[in-house]
Amino acid sequence: EAQVTQNPRYLITVTGKKLTVTCSQNMNHEYMSWYRQDPGLGLRQIYYSMNVEVTDKGDVPEGYKVSRKEKRNFPLILESPSPNQTSLYFCASSLSAGSTEAFFGQGTRLTVV
Amino acid sequence: KQEVTQIPAALSVPEGENLVLNCSFTDSAIYNLQWFRQDPGKGLTSLLLIQSSQREQTSGRLNASLDKSSGRSTLYIAASQPGDSATYLCAVIYWSGYALNFGKGTSLLVTP
């Protein structure tokens, strides 16, 4: 089954403790990205990757890092999480940037206390 | 700023009604527009993708139209069912970038 898989689905952590949210897709997609969803603000892009080893900032990149060492995986790294990073996070992928249908993971609900 | 607006924010209809959800965008230089469905606690499910060169797309009971000149898209749902209850999101990709620019969604409730 074609899908985007995120882990974990739920995570509660403390301020400053490094964490990684994993994202994997099995559709051989070139383009992958991360979004966060907040009440009243909607979905906003954090980072994106055009293909392996090519990543760039989205609209709200502060406090986040990403890497794209292989095509299928695109982890989101929070080096020192803060409470304002409490949010619902989504990973997405598409065959190419912009022109094709985007597929989303099930989401990761992160709470930073 | 390239805004995407969805009206209404919430909608409640009885089962069987045909309904229209609206999406407007401020910049006509769009690459494509995609409609998604989001169920509580779940991810986004792609419903329809309309390329900038297209006027509409259909999938089952869903029909999405695109009018770039007026900056509008509509999602038409025929013969609504309780299972259609969800939040519907419109997202635009502009020629200036690759990010999906989302509206804040329309929360739909279809009552039996």
Side-chain angles (χ1 to χ4, degrees):
Chain A
E1 178 188 357
Q3 59 186 0
V4 179
T5 303
Q6 295 178 228
N7 281 295
R9 293 288 312 280
Y10 303 91
L11 179 61
I12 301 174
T13 190
V14 296
T15 299
K17 185 177 181 181
K18 181 180 178 180
L19 66 91
T20 299
V21 183
T22 64
C23 173
S24 180
Q25 50 91 7
N26 62 1
M27 296 169 279
N28 203 36
H29 284 172
E30 294 285 344
Y31 184 81
M32 298 185 73
S33 56
W34 278 100
Y35 291 81
R36 62 179 288 175
Q37 186 176 33
D38 301 288
L41 296 176
L43 283 131
R44 296 173 292 168
Q45 190 184 59
I46 304 171
Y47 266 95
Y48 66 92
S49 170
M50 299 290 287
N51 48 47
V52 175
E53 300 292 1
V54 180
T55 64
D56 207 346
K57 297 175 181 178
D59 295 323
V60 288
E62 295 77 20
Y64 304 95
K65 287 176 58 178
V66 292
S67 69
R68 187 91 180 275
K69 296 179 181 176
E70 47 191 341
K71 184 183 278 191
R72 65 183 293 124
N73 296 323
F74 189 45
L76 179 69
I77 303 159
L78 284 72
E79 293 272 3
S80 183
S82 62
N84 65 12
Q85 293 179 297
T86 293
S87 186
L88 180 58
Y89 291 86
F90 289 102
C91 179
S93 74
S94 58
L95 189 59
S96 62
S99 62
T100 57
E101 187 178 13
F103 294 86
F104 279 73
Q106 294 288 78
T108 295
R109 184 166 293 281
L110 172 66
T111 302
V112 183
V113 298
Chain B
K1 190 179 187 302
Q2 296 162 323
E3 300 276 349
V4 179
T5 304
Q6 291 187 247
I7 295 173
L11 181 63
S12 180
V13 300
E15 181 177 7
E17 274 203 9
N18 303 324
L19 57 99
V20 174
L21 307 181
N22 296 294
C23 172
S24 62
F25 42 93
T26 55
D27 187 343
S28 62
I30 73 167
Y31 199 17
N32 65 42
L33 184 146
Q34 195 166 353
W35 282 93
F36 295 89
R37 167 185 174 141
Q38 185 175 20
D39 294 279
K42 296 188 178 181
L44 280 67
T45 301
S46 176
L47 298 174
L48 290 163
L49 169 70
I50 309 178
Q51 302 287 358
S52 61
S53 58
Q54 298 174 320
R55 297 299 296 268
E56 66 178 318
Q57 283 283 354
T58 298
S59 175
R61 294 182 294 108
L62 305 179
N63 175 276
S65 67
L66 175 64
D67 184 342
K68 288 190 300 179
S69 61
S70 66
R72 296 186 63 177
S73 175
T74 60
L75 179 66
Y76 175 83
I77 302 177
S80 58
Q81 304 170 356
D84 295 329
S85 299
T87 296
Y88 290 81
L89 295 161
C90 163
V92 174
I93 293 184
Y94 294 102
W95 283 99
S96 57
Y98 303 115
L100 286 160
N101 294 272
F102 283 89
K104 292 186 170 58
T106 294
S107 178
L108 173 65
L109 176 64
V110 181
T111 56

